[in-house]
């Protein structure tokens, strides 16, 4: 029996939860510019599976890589790190 490889984990913020069982998570990272040597903020959006529809916009969450769940979903919401303080 082979062991499963380590799955990537990222931390990001929920920017949309309008779909059923799906949340869009924005992950920010700092990358050093090759020429100017300044740090540039890069952002990526990932569609993540949210089974119980518990995530709200502004929540800080941890997502884990998984098998393809749909055309665009390859991540699952692992846990909610901090709830949003926004009241919509």
């Amino acid at each position: 029996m082979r062991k499963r490889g380590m799955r990537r984990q990222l931390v990001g913020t929920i920017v949309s939860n309008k779909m059923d069982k799906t949340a869009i998570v924005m992950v920010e990272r700092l990358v050093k510019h090759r020429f100017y040597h300044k740090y540039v903020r890069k952002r990526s959006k990932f569609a993540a599976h949210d089974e119980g529809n518990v995530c709200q916009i502004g929540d800080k969450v941890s997502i884990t890589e998984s098998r393809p769940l749909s055309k665009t979903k390859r991540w699952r919401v692992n846990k909610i790190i901090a709830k949003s303080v926004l009241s919509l």
Side-chain angles (χ1 to χ4, degrees), residues 2-46:
R2 289 180 10 167
K3 287 188 178 179
R4 184 180 293 177
M6 291 296 291
R7 293 180 174 208
R8 290 194 299 163
Q9 289 195 341
L10 299 173
V11 175
T13 307
I14 302 288
V15 292
S16 173
N17 64 348
K18 293 184 178 183
M19 292 176 275
D20 187 33
K21 298 186 180 182
T22 303
I24 303 298
V25 181
M26 182 180 291
V27 176
E28 285 190 350
R29 59 192 176 96
L30 291 175
V31 178
K32 196 169 188 178
H33 195 280
R34 288 190 306 160
F35 183 77
Y36 295 110
H37 305 292
K38 289 178 71 173
Y39 283 96
V40 180
R41 196 177 307 267
K42 296 268 187 171
R43 295 184 180 121
S44 301
K45 287 184 182 178
F46 298 99

Side-chain angles (χ1 to χ4, degrees), residues 20-78:
D20 187 33
K21 298 186 180 182
T22 303
I24 303 298
V25 181
M26 182 180 291
V27 176
E28 285 190 350
R29 59 192 176 96
L30 291 175
V31 178
K32 196 169 188 178
H33 195 280
R34 288 190 306 160
F35 183 77
Y36 295 110
H37 305 292
K38 289 178 71 173
Y39 283 96
V40 180
R41 196 177 307 267
K42 296 268 187 171
R43 295 184 180 121
S44 301
K45 287 184 182 178
F46 298 99
H49 186 66
D50 176 22
E51 183 62 39
N53 286 323
V54 292
C55 295
Q56 299 298 320
I57 295 175
D59 289 355
K60 190 172 184 181
V61 296
S62 170
I63 58 175
T64 306
E65 195 175 27
S66 72
R67 65 181 177 84
L69 298 166
S70 72
K71 181 181 174 184
T72 57
K73 278 200 289 189
R74 275 98 174 104
W75 296 84
R76 291 181 191 267
V77 174
N78 192 16

